[in-house]
Amino acid sequence: VRDTLLKTLDGQKSMVITSHMLTDIEFLIDNVSFIKNGRVYLEGSLEEIRERKNKSLEEIYWEVYSV
């Protein structure tokens, strides 16, 4: 699956991927949007969001979606 995704995403295409298994898809992500209660809660480049939050993608995920 990984090889197919990498071949499909040649730098000129976009793909919407939804997953809670972030370590499995993190290598694909340039930009990320977190949607909560039907609204965009947080979005931007993965690098920018990590730097701003000073957290890993998984830590950000749990911050956004923890009850």
Side-chain angles (χ1 to χ4, degrees):
V1 173
R2 179 183 177 151
D3 291 339
T4 302
L5 288 172
L6 288 174
K7 287 178 189 174
T8 302
L9 296 173
D10 62 5
Q12 301 299 316
K13 297 179 179 104
S14 297
M15 183 181 294
V16 175
I17 300 172
T18 179
S19 179
H20 65 283
M21 300 179 71
L22 301 176
T23 55
D24 291 344
I25 63 164
E26 191 168 4
F27 71 96
L28 293 169
I29 299 172
D30 295 321
N31 294 294
V32 63
S33 295
F34 290 94
I35 300 170
K36 184 174 183 178
N37 298 324
R39 299 184 185 265
V40 175
Y41 181 84
L42 179 66
E43 71 178 333
S45 77
L46 180 56
E47 183 177 329
E48 183 262 336
I49 289 174
R50 279 186 185 146
E51 288 176 6
R52 185 169 32 143
K53 294 286 199 174
N54 195 31
K55 295 181 178 182
S56 71
L57 183 59
E58 187 167 348
E59 289 172 318
I60 296 167
Y61 174 90
W62 288 112
E63 176 184 301
V64 171
Y65 296 112
S66 64
V67 178

Coordinates of all heavy atoms in Angstrom, one line a residue:
V1 N 0.8 -1.2 0.0 CA 0.0 0.0 0.0 C 0.9 1.2 0.0 O 0.6 2.2 -0.7 CB -1.0 0.0 1.2 CG1 -1.7 1.3 1.3 CG2 -1.9 -1.2 1.1
R2 N 1.9 1.2 0.8 CA 2.8 2.4 0.9 C 3.4 2.8 -0.5 O 3.4 3.9 -0.9 CB 3.9 2.1 1.9 CG 4.9 3.3 2.0 CD 6.0 2.9 3.0 NE 6.9 4.0 3.0 CZ 7.7 4.3 4.1 NH1 7.6 3.6 5.2 NH2 8.5 5.4 4.0
D3 N 3.9 1.8 -1.2 CA 4.5 2.0 -2.5 C 3.5 2.6 -3.5 O 3.8 3.5 -4.3 CB 5.1 0.7 -3.1 CG 6.4 0.3 -2.3 OD1 7.0 1.2 -1.6 OD2 6.7 -0.9 -2.3
T4 N 2.3 2.1 -3.5 CA 1.2 2.6 -4.3 C 0.9 4.0 -4.0 O 0.8 4.8 -5.0 CB 0.0 1.7 -4.2 OG1 0.3 0.4 -4.5 CG2 -1.1 2.2 -5.1
L5 N 0.8 4.3 -2.8 CA 0.5 5.7 -2.4 C 1.7 6.7 -2.8 O 1.4 7.8 -3.3 CB 0.3 5.8 -0.9 CG -1.0 5.3 -0.4 CD1 -1.0 5.3 1.1 CD2 -2.2 6.0 -0.9
L6 N 2.9 6.2 -2.6 CA 4.0 7.1 -3.0 C 4.1 7.3 -4.5 O 4.4 8.4 -5.0 CB 5.3 6.5 -2.5 CG 5.5 6.5 -1.0 CD1 6.8 5.8 -0.6 CD2 5.7 8.0 -0.6
K7 N 3.7 6.3 -5.3 CA 3.7 6.4 -6.8 C 2.6 7.4 -7.2 O 2.7 8.1 -8.1 CB 3.6 5.1 -7.4 CG 4.8 4.2 -7.3 CD 4.5 2.8 -8.0 CE 5.7 1.9 -7.7 NZ 5.4 0.5 -8.2
T8 N 1.5 7.3 -6.5 CA 0.3 8.1 -6.8 C 0.6 9.6 -6.5 O 0.2 10.4 -7.3 CB -0.9 7.6 -6.1 OG1 -1.2 6.2 -6.4 CG2 -2.2 8.4 -6.4
L9 N 1.2 9.8 -5.4 CA 1.4 11.2 -5.0 C 2.8 11.6 -5.5 O 3.8 11.5 -4.8 CB 1.4 11.3 -3.4 CG 0.1 11.0 -2.8 CD1 0.2 10.9 -1.3 CD2 -1.0 12.0 -3.2
D10 N 2.8 12.2 -6.7 CA 4.1 12.5 -7.3 C 4.5 14.0 -7.1 O 5.3 14.5 -7.8 CB 4.0 12.2 -8.8 CG 3.0 13.0 -9.5 OD1 2.3 13.9 -8.9 OD2 2.8 12.8 -10.7
G11 N 3.9 14.6 -6.1 CA 4.2 16.0 -5.8 C 3.2 17.0 -6.5 O 3.2 18.2 -6.3
Q12 N 2.4 16.5 -7.4 CA 1.5 17.3 -8.2 C 0.0 17.0 -7.9 O -0.9 17.6 -8.4 CB 1.7 17.1 -9.7 CG 3.1 17.5 -10.1 CD 3.5 18.9 -9.9 OE1 2.7 19.8 -10.1 NE2 4.6 19.2 -9.3
K13 N -0.2 16.1 -6.9 CA -1.5 15.7 -6.6 C -1.8 15.8 -5.1 O -0.9 15.9 -4.3 CB -1.7 14.2 -7.0 CG -1.6 14.0 -8.5 CD -1.7 12.5 -8.8 CE -1.6 12.3 -10.3 NZ -0.3 11.7 -10.7
S14 N -3.1 15.9 -4.8 CA -3.6 15.9 -3.4 C -4.4 14.7 -3.2 O -5.1 14.2 -4.1 CB -4.4 17.2 -3.2 OG -3.6 18.3 -3.4
M15 N -4.4 14.3 -1.9 CA -5.2 13.2 -1.5 C -5.7 13.4 -0.1 O -5.0 13.9 0.7 CB -4.4 11.9 -1.5 CG -5.1 10.6 -1.2 SD -4.1 9.1 -1.2 CE -3.7 9.0 -2.9
V16 N -7.0 13.1 0.1 CA -7.5 13.2 1.4 C -7.5 11.9 2.1 O -8.0 10.9 1.5 CB -9.0 13.7 1.4 CG1 -9.6 13.7 2.8 CG2 -9.1 15.1 0.8
I17 N -6.8 11.8 3.2 CA -6.6 10.6 4.0 C -7.2 10.8 5.4 O -6.8 11.8 6.0 CB -5.2 10.1 4.0 CG1 -4.6 9.9 2.6 CG2 -5.0 8.8 4.9 CD1 -3.1 9.6 2.6
T18 N -8.0 9.9 5.8 CA -8.5 10.0 7.2 C -8.0 8.8 7.9 O -8.2 7.7 7.5 CB -10.0 10.2 7.2 OG1 -10.4 10.3 8.6 CG2 -10.7 9.1 6.5
S19 N -7.4 9.0 9.1 CA -6.9 7.9 9.8 C -6.5 8.3 11.3 O -6.2 9.5 11.5 CB -5.6 7.4 9.2 OG -5.1 6.3 9.9
H20 N -6.6 7.4 12.1 CA -6.2 7.6 13.5 C -4.8 6.9 13.7 O -4.2 7.0 14.8 CB -7.2 7.1 14.5 CG -7.4 5.7 14.5 ND1 -8.2 5.1 13.5 CD2 -6.9 4.7 15.3 CE1 -8.2 3.8 13.7 NE2 -7.4 3.5 14.8
M21 N -4.3 6.2 12.7 CA -3.1 5.5 12.8 C -2.0 6.4 12.1 O -1.5 6.2 11.0 CB -3.2 4.2 12.1 CG -4.3 3.3 12.7 SD -4.5 1.7 11.9 CE -3.0 0.9 12.4
L22 N -1.6 7.4 12.9 CA -0.8 8.5 12.3 C 0.6 8.0 12.0 O 1.2 8.5 11.0 CB -0.7 9.6 13.4 CG -2.1 10.2 13.7 CD1 -1.9 11.3 14.8 CD2 -2.7 10.8 12.5
T23 N 1.2 7.1 12.7 CA 2.5 6.7 12.4 C 2.6 6.0 11.0 O 3.6 5.9 10.4 CB 3.1 5.7 13.5 OG1 2.2 4.7 13.7 CG2 3.3 6.5 14.8
D24 N 1.4 5.4 10.6 CA 1.3 4.7 9.3 C 1.2 5.7 8.1 O 1.6 5.3 7.0 CB 0.2 3.8 9.3 CG 0.3 2.6 10.2 OD1 1.5 2.3 10.6 OD2 -0.7 1.9 10.5
I25 N 0.8 6.9 8.4 CA 0.6 7.8 7.2 C 1.4 9.1 7.3 O 1.5 9.8 6.4 CB -0.9 8.2 7.1 CG1 -1.4 8.9 8.3 CG2 -1.8 7.0 6.8 CD1 -2.7 9.7 8.1
E26 N 2.1 9.3 8.4 CA 2.8 10.5 8.7 C 3.8 10.8 7.6 O 4.0 12.0 7.2 CB 3.5 10.4 10.0 CG 4.1 11.8 10.5 CD 4.5 11.7 11.9 OE1 4.4 10.7 12.6 OE2 4.9 12.8 12.4
F27 N 4.4 9.8 7.0 CA 5.4 10.0 5.9 C 4.8 10.6 4.7 O 5.5 11.2 3.8 CB 6.1 8.7 5.6 CG 5.2 7.7 4.8 CD1 5.3 7.6 3.4 CD2 4.4 6.9 5.5 CE1 4.5 6.7 2.8 CE2 3.6 5.9 4.8 CZ 3.6 5.9 3.5
L28 N 3.5 10.6 4.5 CA 2.8 11.1 3.3 C 2.4 12.6 3.5 O 2.1 13.2 2.5 CB 1.5 10.3 3.1 CG 1.7 8.9 2.6 CD1 0.3 8.2 2.7 CD2 2.2 8.8 1.2
I29 N 2.3 13.1 4.7 CA 1.7 14.3 5.0 C 2.6 15.5 4.8 O 3.7 15.6 5.3 CB 1.2 14.3 6.5 CG1 0.2 13.2 6.7 CG2 0.6 15.6 6.9 CD1 -0.2 13.0 8.1
D30 N 2.0 16.5 4.0 CA 2.6 17.8 3.9 C 1.8 18.8 4.7 O 2.3 19.6 5.4 CB 2.7 18.3 2.4 CG 3.6 17.4 1.6 OD1 4.7 17.0 2.1 OD2 3.3 17.2 0.4
N31 N 0.5 18.7 4.5 CA -0.4 19.6 5.2 C -1.5 18.7 5.9 O -1.8 17.6 5.5 CB -1.2 20.5 4.2 CG -0.2 21.5 3.6 OD1 0.4 22.3 4.2 ND2 0.0 21.3 2.3
V32 N -1.9 19.3 7.0 CA -2.9 18.5 7.9 C -4.0 19.4 8.3 O -3.8 20.6 8.5 CB -2.1 17.9 9.1 CG1 -1.5 18.9 10.0 CG2 -3.0 16.9 9.8
S33 N -5.2 18.8 8.4 CA -6.3 19.5 9.0 C -7.0 18.6 10.0 O -7.2 17.4 9.8 CB -7.4 19.8 7.9 OG -6.9 20.7 7.0
F34 N -7.2 19.2 11.2 CA -8.0 18.5 12.2 C -9.4 19.0 12.2 O -9.5 20.3 12.4 CB -7.3 18.7 13.6 CG -6.0 18.0 13.7 CD1 -4.8 18.6 13.5 CD2 -5.9 16.6 14.1 CE1 -3.6 18.0 13.6 CE2 -4.7 16.0 14.2 CZ -3.5 16.7 14.0
I35 N -10.3 18.2 12.1 CA -11.7 18.6 12.0 C -12.4 18.1 13.3 O -12.4 16.9 13.5 CB -12.4 18.1 10.7 CG1 -11.7 18.7 9.5 CG2 -13.9 18.5 10.7 CD1 -12.1 18.1 8.2
K36 N -13.1 18.9 14.0 CA -13.7 18.6 15.2 C -15.1 19.2 15.3 O -15.2 20.4 15.0 CB -12.9 19.0 16.4 CG -13.4 18.6 17.8 CD -12.5 19.0 18.9 CE -13.0 18.5 20.2 NZ -12.0 18.8 21.3
N37 N -16.1 18.4 15.5 CA -17.5 18.8 15.6 C -17.9 19.6 14.3 O -18.6 20.6 14.3 CB -17.7 19.7 16.8 CG -17.5 19.0 18.1 OD1 -17.8 17.8 18.2 ND2 -16.9 19.7 19.1
G38 N -17.4 19.0 13.1 CA -17.8 19.6 11.9 C -17.1 20.8 11.4 O -17.4 21.4 10.4
R39 N -16.1 21.3 12.2 CA -15.4 22.5 11.9 C -13.9 22.2 11.9 O -13.4 21.4 12.6 CB -15.7 23.6 12.9 CG -17.2 24.0 12.9 CD -17.4 25.1 13.9 NE -18.8 25.4 14.0 CZ -19.4 26.4 13.3 NH1 -18.7 27.1 12.4 NH2 -20.7 26.6 13.5
V40 N -13.2 23.0 11.0 CA -11.7 22.9 11.0 C -11.2 23.5 12.3 O -11.4 24.7 12.6 CB -11.1 23.6 9.8 CG1 -9.6 23.6 9.9 CG2 -11.6 23.0 8.5
Y41 N -10.6 22.7 13.1 CA -10.1 23.0 14.4 C -8.6 23.6 14.3 O -8.3 24.5 15.0 CB -10.2 21.8 15.3 CG -9.7 22.1 16.7 CD1 -10.6 22.6 17.7 CD2 -8.4 21.7 17.1 CE1 -10.1 22.8 19.0 CE2 -8.0 21.9 18.4 CZ -8.8 22.5 19.4 OH -8.4 22.7 20.6
L42 N -7.9 22.9 13.5 CA -6.4 23.3 13.3 C -6.0 22.8 11.9 O -6.3 21.7 11.5 CB -5.6 22.5 14.4 CG -4.1 22.7 14.5 CD1 -3.8 24.2 14.8 CD2 -3.5 21.8 15.5
E43 N -5.3 23.7 11.2 CA -4.8 23.3 9.9 C -3.5 24.0 9.6 O -3.3 25.1 10.1 CB -5.8 23.4 8.8 CG -6.1 24.8 8.4 CD -7.1 24.9 7.3 OE1 -7.2 24.0 6.5 OE2 -7.8 25.9 7.3
G44 N -2.7 23.5 8.7 CA -1.5 24.1 8.2 C -0.5 23.0 7.8 O -0.8 21.8 7.7
S45 N 0.7 23.5 7.5 CA 1.7 22.5 7.2 C 2.1 21.7 8.4 O 2.0 22.2 9.6 CB 3.0 23.1 6.6 OG 3.8 23.7 7.6
L46 N 2.4 20.4 8.2 CA 2.7 19.5 9.4 C 3.9 20.1 10.2 O 3.8 20.2 11.4 CB 3.0 18.1 8.9 CG 3.4 17.1 9.9 CD1 2.3 17.0 11.0 CD2 3.6 15.8 9.3
E47 N 4.9 20.6 9.5 CA 6.1 21.1 10.1 C 5.7 22.4 10.9 O 6.2 22.5 12.1 CB 7.1 21.5 9.1 CG 8.4 22.0 9.7 CD 9.5 22.3 8.6 OE1 9.5 21.6 7.5 OE2 10.3 23.2 8.8
E48 N 4.9 23.3 10.4 CA 4.5 24.5 11.1 C 3.7 24.2 12.3 O 3.9 24.8 13.4 CB 3.8 25.4 10.1 CG 3.4 26.7 10.7 CD 1.9 26.8 11.2 OE1 1.1 26.0 10.8 OE2 1.7 27.6 12.1
I49 N 2.8 23.3 12.2 CA 2.0 22.9 13.4 C 2.8 22.2 14.5 O 2.6 22.6 15.7 CB 0.8 22.0 12.9 CG1 -0.2 22.8 12.1 CG2 0.1 21.4 14.2 CD1 -1.3 22.0 11.5
R50 N 3.7 21.4 14.1 CA 4.6 20.7 15.1 C 5.4 21.8 15.8 O 5.6 21.7 17.0 CB 5.5 19.7 14.4 CG 4.9 18.4 14.1 CD 6.1 17.6 13.6 NE 5.6 16.3 13.2 CZ 6.1 15.6 12.2 NH1 7.1 16.1 11.4 NH2 5.7 14.4 11.8
E51 N 6.0 22.7 15.1 CA 6.8 23.8 15.7 C 6.0 24.7 16.6 O 6.4 25.0 17.7 CB 7.5 24.6 14.6 CG 8.6 23.8 13.9 CD 9.2 24.6 12.8 OE1 8.9 25.8 12.6 OE2 10.0 24.0 12.0
R52 N 4.8 25.1 16.1 CA 3.9 25.9 16.9 C 3.5 25.3 18.2 O 3.5 25.9 19.3 CB 2.7 26.4 16.1 CG 1.8 27.4 16.8 CD 0.8 28.0 15.8 NE 0.3 27.1 14.8 CZ -0.9 27.0 14.4 NH1 -1.8 27.8 14.9 NH2 -1.2 26.2 13.4
K53 N 3.1 24.0 18.1 CA 2.6 23.3 19.3 C 3.8 22.7 20.1 O 3.5 22.3 21.2 CB 1.7 22.2 18.9 CG 0.4 22.7 18.3 CD -0.5 23.2 19.3 CE -1.9 23.3 18.9 NZ -2.8 23.7 20.0
N54 N 4.9 22.5 19.5 CA 6.1 21.9 20.1 C 5.7 20.5 20.6 O 6.0 20.0 21.7 CB 6.6 22.7 21.2 CG 8.0 22.2 21.7 OD1 8.8 21.7 20.8 ND2 8.3 22.4 22.9
K55 N 5.0 19.7 19.7 CA 4.5 18.4 20.0 C 4.6 17.5 18.7 O 4.6 18.1 17.6 CB 3.0 18.4 20.5 CG 2.8 19.1 21.8 CD 1.4 19.1 22.2 CE 1.2 19.8 23.5 NZ -0.2 19.8 24.0
S56 N 4.5 16.2 18.9 CA 4.5 15.3 17.8 C 3.1 15.3 17.2 O 2.1 15.8 17.9 CB 4.8 13.9 18.3 OG 3.8 13.4 19.1
L57 N 2.9 14.8 16.0 CA 1.6 14.7 15.4 C 0.7 13.9 16.3 O -0.5 14.3 16.5 CB 1.7 14.0 14.0 CG 0.4 13.9 13.2 CD1 -0.2 15.3 13.0 CD2 0.7 13.2 11.9
E58 N 1.1 12.8 16.8 CA 0.2 12.0 17.7 C -0.2 12.8 19.0 O -1.3 12.7 19.4 CB 0.9 10.7 18.1 CG 0.0 9.8 18.8 CD 0.5 8.4 19.0 OE1 1.5 8.0 18.3 OE2 0.0 7.6 19.7
E59 N 0.7 13.5 19.5 CA 0.4 14.3 20.7 C -0.7 15.4 20.4 O -1.6 15.6 21.1 CB 1.6 15.0 21.3 CG 2.6 14.0 22.0 CD 3.9 14.7 22.4 OE1 4.4 15.5 21.6 OE2 4.4 14.4 23.5
I60 N -0.5 16.0 19.2 CA -1.5 17.0 18.7 C -2.8 16.3 18.5 O -3.9 16.9 18.9 CB -1.0 17.7 17.5 CG1 0.3 18.5 17.7 CG2 -2.1 18.6 16.9 CD1 1.0 18.9 16.5
Y61 N -2.8 15.2 17.9 CA -4.1 14.4 17.7 C -4.8 14.2 19.0 O -6.0 14.5 19.1 CB -3.8 13.1 17.0 CG -5.0 12.2 16.9 CD1 -5.7 12.2 15.7 CD2 -5.3 11.3 17.9 CE1 -6.8 11.4 15.6 CE2 -6.4 10.5 17.7 CZ -7.2 10.5 16.6 OH -8.3 9.7 16.5
W62 N -4.1 13.7 20.0 CA -4.8 13.5 21.3 C -5.2 14.7 22.0 O -6.2 14.7 22.7 CB -3.9 12.6 22.2 CG -3.8 11.2 21.7 CD1 -2.8 10.6 21.1 CD2 -4.9 10.3 21.6 NE1 -3.1 9.3 20.7 CE2 -4.4 9.1 21.0 CE3 -6.3 10.3 21.9 CZ2 -5.2 8.0 20.7 CZ3 -7.1 9.2 21.7 CH2 -6.5 8.1 21.1
E63 N -4.5 15.8 21.8 CA -4.9 17.1 22.4 C -6.2 17.5 21.7 O -7.1 18.0 22.4 CB -3.8 18.1 22.1 CG -4.2 19.5 22.5 CD -3.1 20.5 22.1 OE1 -2.0 20.4 22.6 OE2 -3.5 21.5 21.4
V64 N -6.3 17.4 20.4 CA -7.5 17.8 19.7 C -8.7 17.0 20.1 O -9.8 17.5 20.3 CB -7.3 17.9 18.2 CG1 -8.6 18.1 17.4 CG2 -6.2 18.9 17.8
Y65 N -8.5 15.6 20.1 CA -9.7 14.7 20.1 C -9.9 14.1 21.5 O -10.9 13.3 21.6 CB -9.5 13.6 19.1 CG -9.6 14.2 17.7 CD1 -8.4 14.2 16.9 CD2 -10.7 14.8 17.2 CE1 -8.5 14.8 15.6 CE2 -10.8 15.4 15.9 CZ -9.6 15.3 15.2 OH -9.7 15.9 13.9
S66 N -9.1 14.4 22.5 CA -9.4 13.9 23.8 C -10.6 14.6 24.4 O -10.9 15.8 24.1 CB -8.2 14.0 24.8 OG -7.9 15.4 25.0
V67 N -11.4 13.9 25.1 CA -12.6 14.4 25.7 C -12.4 15.3 26.9 O -11.6 15.1 27.7 CB -13.6 13.3 26.0 CG1 -14.9 13.8 26.6 CG2 -13.9 12.5 24.8

